[in-house]
Coordinates of all heavy atoms in Angstrom, one line a residue:
V1575 N 0.1 -2.9 -7.3 CA 0.1 -1.7 -6.4 C 0.4 -0.4 -7.1 O 0.3 0.7 -6.6 CB 1.1 -1.9 -5.2 CG1 0.6 -3.0 -4.3 CG2 2.5 -2.0 -5.6
L1579 N 0.1 3.4 -5.8 CA 1.3 4.2 -5.6 C 1.2 5.6 -6.3 O 1.6 6.6 -5.8 CB 2.5 3.4 -6.1 CG 2.9 2.2 -5.3 CD1 4.0 1.4 -6.0 CD2 3.3 2.5 -3.8
P1621 N 0.4 -3.5 6.2 CA 1.0 -3.6 4.8 C 0.3 -2.7 3.8 O 0.9 -2.0 3.0 CB 0.9 -5.0 4.5 CG 0.9 -5.8 5.8 CD 0.1 -4.9 6.7
A1624 N 0.3 1.1 4.5 CA 1.7 1.6 4.2 C 1.8 2.2 2.9 O 2.7 3.0 2.6 CB 2.7 0.5 4.4
L1625 N 0.9 1.9 2.0 CA 0.9 2.6 0.6 C 0.7 4.1 0.8 O 1.3 4.8 -0.1 CB -0.3 2.0 -0.2 CG -0.1 0.6 -0.7 CD1 -1.5 0.0 -1.2 CD2 0.9 0.6 -1.9
L1627 N 2.1 6.0 2.7 CA 3.4 6.6 3.0 C 4.0 7.3 1.8 O 4.8 8.3 1.9 CB 4.4 5.6 3.6 CG 4.1 5.0 4.9 CD1 5.1 3.9 5.3 CD2 4.0 6.0 6.0
V1628 N 3.7 6.8 0.6 CA 4.2 7.5 -0.6 C 3.7 8.9 -0.7 O 4.4 9.8 -1.2 CB 3.7 6.7 -1.9 CG1 4.2 7.4 -3.1 CG2 4.2 5.2 -1.8
F1655 N 8.6 9.7 -5.5 CA 7.8 8.5 -5.8 C 8.6 7.2 -5.4 O 8.1 6.3 -4.8 CB 7.5 8.4 -7.3 CG 6.8 7.2 -7.7 CD1 5.5 7.0 -7.5 CD2 7.6 6.2 -8.3 CE1 4.9 5.8 -7.9 CE2 7.0 5.0 -8.7 CZ 5.6 4.8 -8.5
F1656 N 9.9 7.2 -5.7 CA 10.7 6.1 -5.4 C 11.1 6.0 -4.0 O 11.2 4.9 -3.4 CB 12.0 6.1 -6.3 CG 11.7 6.1 -7.8 CD1 11.7 7.3 -8.5 CD2 11.3 5.0 -8.4 CE1 11.3 7.3 -9.9 CE2 10.9 5.0 -9.8 CZ 10.9 6.2 -10.5
I1657 N 11.3 7.1 -3.3 CA 11.6 7.1 -1.9 C 10.4 6.6 -1.1 O 10.5 5.8 -0.2 CB 12.0 8.5 -1.4 CG1 13.3 9.0 -2.0 CG2 12.1 8.6 0.1 CD1 13.6 10.4 -1.7
G1658 N 9.2 7.1 -1.5 CA 8.0 6.6 -0.9 C 7.7 5.2 -1.1 O 7.3 4.4 -0.2
T1659 N 8.0 4.7 -2.3 CA 7.8 3.3 -2.7 C 8.7 2.4 -1.8 O 8.4 1.3 -1.3 CB 8.1 3.0 -4.1 OG1 7.1 3.8 -4.9 CG2 7.9 1.5 -4.5
A1660 N 10.0 2.9 -1.6 CA 10.9 2.2 -0.7 C 10.4 2.1 0.7 O 10.5 1.1 1.4 CB 12.3 2.9 -0.8
F1661 N 9.9 3.2 1.2 CA 9.3 3.2 2.6 C 8.2 2.2 2.7 O 8.0 1.5 3.7 CB 8.8 4.6 2.9 CG 9.9 5.4 3.7 CD1 10.9 6.1 2.9 CD2 9.9 5.5 5.0 CE1 11.9 6.8 3.6 CE2 10.9 6.3 5.7 CZ 11.9 6.9 4.9
Y1662 N 7.3 2.2 1.7 CA 6.2 1.3 1.6 C 6.7 -0.2 1.7 O 6.2 -1.0 2.5 CB 5.4 1.5 0.4 CG 4.7 0.2 -0.2 CD1 3.6 -0.3 0.5 CD2 5.2 -0.4 -1.3 CE1 3.0 -1.5 0.0 CE2 4.6 -1.6 -1.8 CZ 3.5 -2.1 -1.1 OH 2.9 -3.3 -1.6
F1663 N 7.7 -0.5 0.9 CA 8.3 -1.8 0.8 C 8.8 -2.2 2.2 O 8.6 -3.3 2.7 CB 9.4 -1.9 -0.2 CG 10.2 -3.2 -0.1 CD1 9.7 -4.4 -0.6 CD2 11.4 -3.2 0.5 CE1 10.4 -5.5 -0.5 CE2 12.2 -4.3 0.6 CZ 11.6 -5.5 0.1
V1664 N 9.6 -1.4 2.8 CA 10.2 -1.7 4.1 C 9.2 -2.0 5.2 O 9.2 -3.0 5.9 CB 11.2 -0.6 4.5 CG1 11.6 -0.8 6.0 CG2 12.4 -0.4 3.6
V1665 N 8.2 -1.1 5.3 CA 7.1 -1.3 6.3 C 6.3 -2.6 6.0 O 6.1 -3.4 7.0 CB 6.2 -0.1 6.3 CG1 5.0 -0.3 7.2 CG2 7.0 1.2 6.8
R1666 N 5.9 -2.8 4.8 CA 5.2 -4.0 4.5 C 6.0 -5.3 4.7 O 5.5 -6.2 5.2 CB 4.7 -3.9 3.0 CG 3.8 -5.1 2.7 CD 3.2 -5.1 1.3 NE 2.5 -6.3 1.0 CZ 1.9 -6.6 -0.1 NH1 1.9 -5.7 -1.1 NH2 1.3 -7.7 -0.3
Y1667 N 7.3 -5.2 4.3 CA 8.1 -6.4 4.4 C 8.3 -6.7 5.9 O 8.2 -7.9 6.3 CB 9.5 -6.1 3.8 CG 10.5 -7.2 3.9 CD1 10.3 -8.5 3.4 CD2 11.7 -7.0 4.6 CE1 11.2 -9.5 3.6 CE2 12.6 -8.0 4.8 CZ 12.4 -9.3 4.2 OH 13.3 -10.3 4.4
F1668 N 8.6 -5.7 6.7 CA 8.8 -6.0 8.1 C 7.5 -6.5 8.8 O 7.6 -7.5 9.6 CB 9.3 -4.7 8.9 CG 9.5 -4.9 10.3 CD1 10.6 -5.6 10.8 CD2 8.5 -4.5 11.2 CE1 10.8 -5.8 12.2 CE2 8.7 -4.7 12.6 CZ 9.8 -5.3 13.1
S1669 N 6.4 -6.0 8.4 CA 5.1 -6.4 9.0 C 4.8 -7.8 8.6 O 4.4 -8.6 9.5 CB 4.0 -5.5 8.5 OG 2.8 -5.7 9.1
H1670 N 5.0 -8.2 7.3 CA 4.7 -9.6 6.9 C 5.7 -10.5 7.6 O 5.4 -11.6 7.9 CB 4.9 -9.7 5.4 CG 3.7 -9.2 4.7 ND1 2.4 -9.5 5.0 CD2 3.6 -8.5 3.5 CE1 1.5 -9.0 4.2 NE2 2.2 -8.4 3.2
T1671 N 7.0 -10.1 7.7 CA 8.0 -11.0 8.3 C 7.7 -11.2 9.7 O 7.8 -12.4 10.2 CB 9.4 -10.3 8.1 OG1 9.7 -10.2 6.7 CG2 10.5 -11.2 8.8
A1705 N 11.7 -14.2 6.7 CA 12.4 -13.1 5.9 C 12.6 -13.5 4.5 O 12.4 -12.7 3.6 CB 13.7 -12.8 6.6
N1708 N 9.0 -14.0 2.5 CA 8.4 -12.7 2.1 C 9.2 -11.9 1.2 O 8.6 -11.1 0.3 CB 8.1 -11.9 3.4 CG 7.0 -12.4 4.2 OD1 5.8 -12.4 3.8 ND2 7.3 -13.0 5.4
L1709 N 10.5 -12.0 1.2 CA 11.4 -11.3 0.3 C 11.2 -11.9 -1.1 O 11.2 -11.1 -2.1 CB 12.8 -11.4 0.7 CG 13.8 -10.5 -0.1 CD1 13.6 -9.1 0.2 CD2 15.3 -10.9 0.3
L1710 N 11.0 -13.2 -1.3 CA 10.9 -13.8 -2.6 C 9.7 -13.3 -3.4 O 9.8 -13.3 -4.6 CB 10.8 -15.3 -2.4 CG 12.1 -16.0 -2.0 CD1 11.9 -17.5 -1.8 CD2 13.2 -15.8 -3.1
F1711 N 8.6 -12.9 -2.7 CA 7.5 -12.5 -3.5 C 7.3 -10.9 -3.5 O 6.9 -10.3 -4.4 CB 6.2 -13.1 -3.1 CG 5.5 -12.5 -1.8 CD1 4.6 -11.5 -1.9 CD2 5.8 -13.1 -0.6 CE1 4.0 -11.0 -0.8 CE2 5.2 -12.6 0.5 CZ 4.3 -11.5 0.4
L1712 N 7.7 -10.3 -2.3 CA 7.4 -8.9 -2.1 C 8.4 -8.0 -2.9 O 8.0 -7.0 -3.5 CB 7.4 -8.5 -0.6 CG 7.0 -7.1 -0.3 CD1 5.6 -6.8 -0.9 CD2 6.9 -6.9 1.2
L1713 N 9.7 -8.4 -2.9 CA 10.7 -7.6 -3.6 C 10.4 -7.6 -5.1 O 10.3 -6.5 -5.7 CB 12.1 -8.2 -3.3 CG 13.2 -7.4 -4.0 CD1 13.2 -5.9 -3.5 CD2 14.6 -8.0 -3.7
P1714 N 10.3 -8.7 -5.8 CA 10.0 -8.6 -7.2 C 8.6 -8.0 -7.5 O 8.5 -7.2 -8.5 CB 10.0 -10.1 -7.7 CG 9.8 -10.9 -6.5 CD 10.5 -10.1 -5.4
D1715 N 7.6 -8.1 -6.7 CA 6.4 -7.5 -6.8 C 6.5 -6.0 -6.8 O 5.9 -5.3 -7.6 CB 5.4 -8.0 -5.8 CG 3.9 -7.5 -6.1 OD1 3.4 -8.0 -7.1 OD2 3.4 -6.7 -5.3
T1716 N 7.2 -5.5 -5.8 CA 7.5 -4.0 -5.7 C 8.4 -3.5 -6.8 O 8.1 -2.4 -7.4 CB 8.1 -3.7 -4.3 OG1 7.3 -4.3 -3.3 CG2 8.2 -2.2 -4.1
L1717 N 9.4 -4.3 -7.2 CA 10.2 -3.8 -8.3 C 9.5 -3.7 -9.6 O 9.8 -2.9 -10.4 CB 11.4 -4.8 -8.4 CG 12.5 -4.7 -7.3 CD1 13.6 -5.8 -7.5 CD2 13.1 -3.3 -7.2
A1720 N 7.6 -0.6 -9.4 CA 8.5 0.6 -9.5 C 9.0 0.7 -11.0 O 9.1 1.8 -11.5 CB 9.7 0.4 -8.6

Side-chain angles (χ1 to χ4, degrees):
V1575 295
L1579 293 174
L1625 287 163
L1627 295 176
V1628 181
F1655 174 82
F1656 300 101
I1657 295 173
T1659 299
F1661 268 80
Y1662 149 74
F1663 168 78
V1664 170
V1665 172
R1666 182 176 175 182
Y1667 176 62
F1668 178 76
S1669 186
H1670 281 318
T1671 299
N1708 287 291
L1709 190 67
L1710 284 176
F1711 81 88
L1712 187 55
L1713 181 60
D1715 190 67
T1716 306
L1717 288 177

